[in-house]
């Protein structure tokens, strides 16, 4: 049995989901902390005197003076083939009452994104099955395409339709539910069951009733699950629904940590928080197996305001955006995609030659038609 370095500390203070620990001299961000009785946390900050841990699994209420134990290893998530077809939480525990899940291996939640030398040019088409997207906003496997719009304009529908269209195409789909209601998740689960989507899909859920810690970690866990298949040469699609609530959860955590608030009370590292996650989408080189991971992060805007802090951050770090317009939705134009504000920066490089020839002037014709209607 290999030697393990263990370190013990004492809980000094508890503020919501944040625990302050004294006595840990060697620690790293993202490191696992165990408090006994199955309660676990992850280190998200430290200084010379104390360490801050985020509770992600609470089996028993913590008290001041409780013992905390760490080992020099990152917080890992279970991954494996058997996760396909299941609904799990951030800790890899099943939420569908279908029994335990066989684990193939463990992967770090905060894994590094593939380097430039490990990537290849995006040249394979990712077909969403939505004609207006496939013809005028072509998307490639390995692309990061932002979906944004006001509440109830069809953002989740865009993501679920794209997942439905991957049937029989060898793509593993992951729907990451962040801060949504139980009824919203149930609608997606029922849709997946009706269309036999669980044959090639899985759901990672951190509902509104869960702790901010679980909502913060949910998209990272989804990325780690996707990377398991990508590094095996597979193709993965992940829909993050949605990053607005993820940013809210991180803002709450940062305020509990007494970190200085910036614009809209978000901490200064909110851009880094999302960018290091978005960069994990990739088209790997042949030497690395040639796998791909495509992202559809979702952002909720307020009254069509695209200049908000979180929307502008995500627009700058993705390869294009699909903007859903509330006025178009009200007119009955579904999906309510505003082609004037939507763009795919990969362009028509990934389109089939026949489709490229057919849709060459389609976008311009459509925009001119909309202009004439005004």
């Amino acid at each position: 049995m290999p030697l393990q370095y263990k370190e013990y500390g004492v809980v000094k203070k508890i503020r919501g989901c944040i625990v302050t620990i004294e006595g840990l001299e060697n620690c790293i961000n993202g490191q696992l902390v165990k408090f006994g009785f199955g309660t676990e946390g992850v280190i998200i900050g430290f200084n010379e005197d104390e360490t801050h841990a985020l509770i992600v699994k609470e089996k028993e209420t913590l008290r001041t003076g409780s013992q905390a134990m760490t080992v020099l290893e990152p917080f890992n998530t279970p991954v494996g083939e058997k996760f396909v077809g299941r609904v799990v939480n951030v800790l890899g525990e099943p939420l569908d009452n279908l029994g335990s899940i066989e684990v193939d291996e463990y992967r770090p939640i905060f894994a590094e994104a593939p380097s430039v030398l490990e990537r290849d040019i995006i040249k394979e088409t990712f077909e969403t099955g939505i004609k207006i997207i496939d013809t005028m906003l072509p998307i490639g496997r390995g692309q990061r395409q932002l979906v944004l719009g006001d509440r109830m304009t069809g953002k989740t529908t865009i993501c679920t339709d794209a997942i439905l269209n991957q049937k029989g195409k060898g793509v593993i789909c992951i729907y990451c539910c962040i801060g949504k209601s139980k009824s919203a998740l149930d609608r997606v689960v029922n849709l997946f069951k009706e269309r036999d989507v669980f044959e090639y899909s899985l759901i990672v859920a951190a509902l509104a009733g869960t702790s901010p810690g679980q909502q913060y970690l949910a998209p990272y866990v989804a990325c780690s699950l996707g990377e398991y298949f990508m590094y095996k040469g597979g193709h993965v699609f992940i829909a993050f629904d949605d990053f607005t609530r993820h940013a809210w959860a991180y803002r709450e955590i940062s305020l509990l940590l007494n970190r200085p608030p910036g614009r809209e009370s978000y901490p200064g590292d909110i851009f880094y928080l999302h960018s290091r996650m978005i960069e994990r989408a990739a088209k790997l080189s042949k030497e690395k197996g040639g796998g791909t991971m495509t992202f559809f992060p979702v952002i909720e805007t307020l009254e069509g305001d695209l200049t908000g802090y979180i929307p502008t951050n995500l627009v700058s770090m993705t390869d294009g955006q699909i903007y859903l317009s509330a006025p178009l939705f009200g007119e009955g134009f579904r999906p309510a995609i505003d082609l004037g504000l939507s763009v795919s920066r990969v362009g028509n490089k990934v389109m089939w030659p026949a489709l490229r020839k057919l849709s060459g002037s389609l976008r311009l014709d459509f925009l001119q038609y909309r202009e004439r209607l005004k």
Side-chain angles (χ1 to χ4, degrees):
M1 185 176 178
L3 289 173
Q4 269 195 338
Y5 177 86
K6 293 184 179 180
E7 199 170 36
Y8 294 90
V10 177
V11 174
K12 175 185 175 184
K13 187 169 53 178
I14 303 168
R15 296 180 66 186
C17 59
I18 302 297
V19 178
T20 302
I21 307 166
E22 281 184 326
L24 299 179
E25 296 182 1
N26 300 286
C27 53
I28 54 173
N29 280 329
Q31 186 178 348
L32 177 67
V33 185
K34 296 183 179 180
F35 296 95
F37 302 105
T39 301
E40 294 180 352
V42 57
I43 292 176
I44 58 170
F46 54 85
N47 55 37
E48 293 179 355
D49 302 317
E50 55 192 28
T51 304
H52 302 293
L54 177 67
I55 298 299
V56 293
K57 180 182 180 182
E58 189 169 5
K59 293 289 186 180
E60 186 172 295
T61 304
L62 285 178
R63 293 178 175 83
T64 304
S66 299
Q67 189 181 69
M69 186 270 287
T70 63
V71 292
L72 288 178
E73 63 179 42
F75 191 87
N76 294 324
T77 183
V79 297
E81 300 283 347
K82 300 296 184 183
F83 278 83
V84 176
R86 304 300 297 270
V87 182
V88 298
N89 65 9
V90 169
L91 301 164
E93 299 169 341
L95 298 174
D96 49 14
N97 300 319
L98 296 177
S100 60
I101 304 172
E102 183 182 331
V103 177
D104 291 341
E105 62 180 78
Y106 288 84
R107 292 191 63 87
I109 291 178
F110 302 109
E112 288 189 12
S115 67
V116 175
L117 296 176
E118 295 174 334
R119 296 173 183 256
D120 200 355
I121 297 170
I122 296 174
K123 50 183 180 285
E124 297 174 77
T125 304
F126 179 82
E127 298 166 345
T128 63
I130 303 167
K131 292 176 184 175
I132 192 171
I133 295 177
D134 292 339
T135 56
M136 295 186 245
L137 301 167
I139 295 164
R141 287 182 176 178
Q143 186 172 341
R144 294 78 52 97
Q145 185 77 1
L146 180 65
V147 180
L148 73 166
D150 286 3
R151 191 170 179 272
M152 301 298 289
T153 51
K155 300 184 296 299
T156 301
T157 304
I158 292 280
C159 296
T160 53
D161 282 357
I163 292 173
L164 292 174
N165 194 58
Q166 303 314 307
K167 190 167 188 176
K169 295 180 179 176
V171 178
I172 299 296
C173 299
I174 302 174
Y175 177 76
C176 181
C177 176
I178 311 166
K180 309 279 276 188
S181 64
K182 179 71 165 59
S183 60
L185 177 63
D186 287 343
R187 283 195 294 272
V188 174
V189 170
N190 292 333
L191 175 66
F192 282 14
K193 286 179 178 177
E194 288 171 11
R195 303 291 186 90
D196 296 324
V197 176
F198 277 120
E199 293 174 5
Y200 57 91
S201 300
L202 64 113
I203 295 176
V204 178
L207 298 174
T210 60
S211 69
Q214 291 208 16
Q215 293 179 44
Y216 161 60
L217 292 176
Y220 294 103
V221 172
C223 289
S224 296
L225 280 162
E227 283 170 343
Y228 170 77
F229 297 101
M230 179 179 72
Y231 282 107
K232 284 188 154 191
H235 302 289
V236 182
F237 169 68
I238 306 181
F240 301 99
D241 194 11
D242 63 48
F243 268 8
T244 302
R245 286 171 175 80
H246 181 252
W248 290 351
Y250 188 65
R251 177 169 60 184
E252 183 178 339
I253 291 166
S254 296
L255 291 173
L256 286 170
L257 287 166
N258 290 325
R259 290 180 179 169
R263 181 176 165 188
E264 295 181 22
S265 293
Y266 289 107
D269 62 342
I270 191 74
F271 185 94
Y272 169 71
L273 176 81
H274 286 151
S275 63
R276 69 171 173 170
M277 188 193 317
I278 290 293
E279 281 300 308
R280 290 166 76 171
K283 165 75 169 78
L284 295 180
S285 62
K286 288 182 180 179
E287 293 76 18
K288 287 291 181 177
T292 64
M293 192 155 66
T294 309
F295 284 176
F296 268 27
V298 175
I299 285 290
E300 185 178 300
T301 56
L302 185 63
E303 295 183 359
D305 182 17
L306 297 176
T307 62
Y309 187 30
I310 302 303
T312 51
N313 276 356
L314 266 295
V315 165
S316 67
M317 67 181 74
T318 49
D319 304 318
Q321 68 271 357
I322 297 170
Y323 175 64
L324 298 167
S325 166
L328 283 178
F329 190 87
E331 292 173 14
F333 184 83
R334 316 280 170 81
I337 298 174
D338 187 332
L339 287 172
L341 294 173
S342 302
V343 65
S344 175
R345 296 188 183 96
V346 170
N348 59 9
K349 300 172 191 172
V350 297
M351 295 178 75
W352 302 108
L355 188 58
R356 187 187 303 128
K357 185 177 179 181
L358 177 68
S359 62
S361 61
L362 198 58
R363 181 187 175 98
L364 181 61
D365 292 342
F366 180 80
L367 290 172
Q368 287 175 341
Y369 167 72
R370 292 294 305 179
E371 192 66 30
R372 290 290 296 273
L373 287 179
K374 294 177 183 177

